[in-house]
Amino acid sequence: MLGKRVCSGWRPFLLCLPLFFVLAHMLSVLELRQHSAAGVPQRKQYKKSDHLVLGPAAGQGLPDRLQCQGNKALSKTHFGASSKDLKAGGNISIVTVFATYNTAVDQQASGKSPDLVTLGNASYNKVERSIAILNVFINFIQETMPRSNIVILTNPSSKLPVERDRLTILPIQGDYSREMLMLQRIRSYIVFLETRAMEHSKWKGQVNHYIFTDSDIAVVDDLGQIFNDHPDFHVALTFRNNKEQPLNSGFIAVRGTPEGILRAKFFLEEVLKVYTTKFMKASRMLGDQLALAWVVKSHSSFDVRRFTRKQAFTDQISGASVLFLPCSIYNWTPPEGAGQFHGMPLDVKVVHFKGSRKRLMLESWSFLKSSSFLDIPDMLCLILRSGRTKYDF
């Protein structure tokens, strides 16, 4: 009755007329949105796989790419020669930063069930997976560079359950939280180099080179030739054809002479300064790579077009002779999901299992270990055929 009284009569009708237009407009907009939503395809949720999904090996027919027939490599002569050399890796230390986190406490506090993943006959929670990946990282190095040393930089409170020959766990104070780990990694590298610089008087003329890497890489060939083929650099970085992030921090080589160590230390200190002043918003991820690119590209004489080519080159950056090595050989990553994919270079030496490719890293070592003799080329075919799958960790 009240509504009829309000809008009855000529004058009240004029007063209610704007309300009718507003309601009609709202109904039209709502109907338009419903039609638009129906006409636009919904984004498909991509479910990560819990097992290897094999497909055809990319790069078939390309002369500079690995050729496979199933999991059998047809280019065996290009791989593995140095892995059979018991002297491979002499006078080289592979250095990584590693930290574990008590995810069980976090899960108990949130009421979530443990995040278990099964691989073969074993099931892993997140901490166990991290340790398994670290063990496989060590396995690959000791297979392909048996005379190299491995150094793990970690939080003094960490108790890492890994014991191997030629392996050193070196505690370094710092903030190893997830949010600060990339920043801490550079700090730990600098402290490590400072320690080596102070110890140079004990070397008695011996030179030991250093390669800083992520712990989710597989070294599939001897890396000693970097220092033989390029005798004048102080620090080496890996580059790719990426405008915003041309440099990847997962592989940094340092010549082990006193000058090389000091030049590399000063270079990383400049990267750290840029990181803390310009890229702290990206401290959890990518900040170190953005800082590396900033330091390199800030030199006016540097030609960024060289990042679009695949040849190694050297330039003077911040007082250091910096060698730039192509990621396609020294930091090759199996593509994940869609995108152009031209296969694996014949001379690849490092495979980087970034992000959710960790399962593929474990599966690759399992495949290699299960063969009658360790056949790295066939294992590379397995990786190549699995390169488009999203895995679960």
Side-chain angles (χ1 to χ4, degrees):
M1 295 292 296
L2 182 60
K4 290 182 180 179
R5 290 177 182 176
V6 170
C7 292
S8 61
W10 178 252
R11 289 183 179 179
F13 174 76
L14 292 177
L15 293 174
C16 292
L17 191 59
L19 179 61
F20 292 138
F21 281 113
V22 171
L23 290 174
H25 177 70
M26 290 177 64
L27 289 172
S28 299
V29 170
L30 181 61
E31 184 178 4
L32 178 61
R33 287 183 176 179
Q34 289 175 342
H35 284 299
S36 298
V40 176
Q42 297 298 310
R43 187 173 183 178
K44 186 178 180 180
Q45 293 295 323
Y46 196 100
K47 179 174 172 47
K48 290 183 178 180
S49 175
D50 62 353
H51 62 279
L52 291 185
V53 179
L54 302 178
Q60 292 298 312
L62 298 179
D64 59 344
R65 294 295 188 266
L66 176 65
Q67 302 299 306
C68 303
Q69 190 171 45
N71 288 341
K72 284 293 182 183
L74 304 179
S75 310
K76 292 181 183 292
T77 56
H78 293 268
F79 293 101
S82 61
S83 67
K84 296 179 176 62
D85 182 0
L86 296 180
K87 296 182 179 180
N91 298 325
I92 294 177
S93 293
I94 310 293
V95 185
T96 192
V97 170
F98 187 85
T100 59
Y101 306 97
N102 193 350
T103 56
V105 173
D106 299 336
Q107 289 168 342
Q108 187 176 6
S110 63
K112 295 181 179 179
S113 59
D115 184 14
L116 295 177
V117 171
T118 300
L119 180 64
N121 297 323
S123 294
Y124 303 93
N125 60 32
K126 285 190 175 181
V127 173
E128 292 167 339
R129 276 180 268 169
S130 295
I131 297 298
I133 290 164
L134 181 63
N135 274 298
V136 169
F137 165 78
I138 296 169
N139 290 343
F140 274 113
I141 295 171
Q142 294 190 333
E143 167 59 25
T144 55
M145 300 175 63
R147 290 195 60 191
S148 64
N149 297 301
I150 301 170
V151 181
I152 301 175
L153 311 180
T154 190
N155 192 322
S157 63
S158 294
K159 305 298 181 185
L160 301 182
V162 287
E163 293 184 7
R164 304 288 189 90
D165 293 336
R166 310 183 75 95
L167 169 66
T168 302
I169 297 176
L170 184 60
I172 293 180
Q173 289 287 353
D175 185 353
Y176 291 80
S177 64
R178 288 187 179 92
E179 289 72 20
M180 302 299 290
L181 185 59
M182 294 298 99
L183 187 66
Q184 179 59 43
R185 181 168 67 171
I186 297 179
R187 287 175 171 156
S188 295
Y189 290 172
I190 292 171
V191 172
F192 178 83
L193 292 173
E194 286 175 343
T195 304
R196 294 300 171 270
M198 290 186 293
E199 295 176 347
H200 77 271
S201 61
K202 303 177 183 178
W203 297 348
K204 298 180 179 179
Q206 294 183 347
V207 174
N208 190 76
H209 305 300
Y210 304 100
I211 300 176
F212 299 94
T213 76
D214 288 351
S215 59
D216 55 357
I217 71 159
V219 177
V220 297
D221 205 352
D222 183 18
L223 298 172
Q225 52 80 220
I226 295 174
F227 303 95
N228 296 327
D229 294 349
H230 306 278
D232 299 323
F233 77 91
H234 299 127
V235 58
L237 307 173
T238 55
F239 72 92
R240 58 202 171 191
N241 186 15
N242 184 309
K243 185 176 180 180
E244 300 300 326
Q245 300 166 37
L247 299 171
N248 184 272
S249 58
F251 185 101
I252 300 174
V254 174
R255 184 170 297 280
T257 60
E259 182 182 11
I261 290 173
L262 286 176
R263 297 286 185 181
K265 171 182 168 292
F266 295 149
F267 176 83
L268 289 177
E269 285 176 337
E270 183 170 351
V271 173
L272 179 64
K273 180 180 178 181
V274 171
Y275 195 158
T276 55
T277 56
K278 296 182 181 297
F279 299 110
M280 284 303 293
K281 290 183 178 179
S283 62
R284 184 174 181 128
M285 186 177 294
L286 301 181
D288 53 344
Q289 301 188 43
L290 295 172
L292 273 174
W294 179 280
V295 169
V296 170
K297 294 195 292 186
S298 64
H299 288 256
S300 57
S301 61
F302 186 82
D303 185 1
V304 296
R305 291 175 296 180
R306 284 182 288 185
F307 287 148
T308 64
R309 303 159 195 158
K310 295 181 181 179
Q311 291 80 22
F313 64 94
T314 306
D315 208 330
Q316 296 294 318
I317 308 291
S318 301
S321 176
V322 180
L323 171 65
F324 295 88
L325 299 167
C327 280
S328 58
I329 298 174
Y330 297 95
N331 205 335
W332 186 83
T333 301
E336 182 186 62
Q340 290 187 347
F341 183 20
H342 301 298
M344 181 185 292
L346 282 172
D347 48 356
V348 66
K349 296 183 181 298
V350 175
V351 179
H352 194 167
F353 297 91
K354 301 175 189 174
S356 63
R357 302 166 179 86
K358 305 294 188 291
R359 169 180 282 274
L360 180 55
M361 181 176 179
L362 298 186
E363 295 270 15
S364 300
W365 177 255
S366 178
F367 174 87
L368 186 65
K369 186 176 62 173
S370 66
S371 59
S372 56
F373 60 96
L374 297 179
D375 196 325
I376 288 179
D378 288 354
M379 181 208 67
L380 294 176
C381 282
L382 178 77
I383 295 172
L384 188 57
R385 295 182 62 207
S386 308
R388 289 180 177 271
T389 305
K390 288 181 179 289
Y391 301 106
D392 59 350
F393 67 100

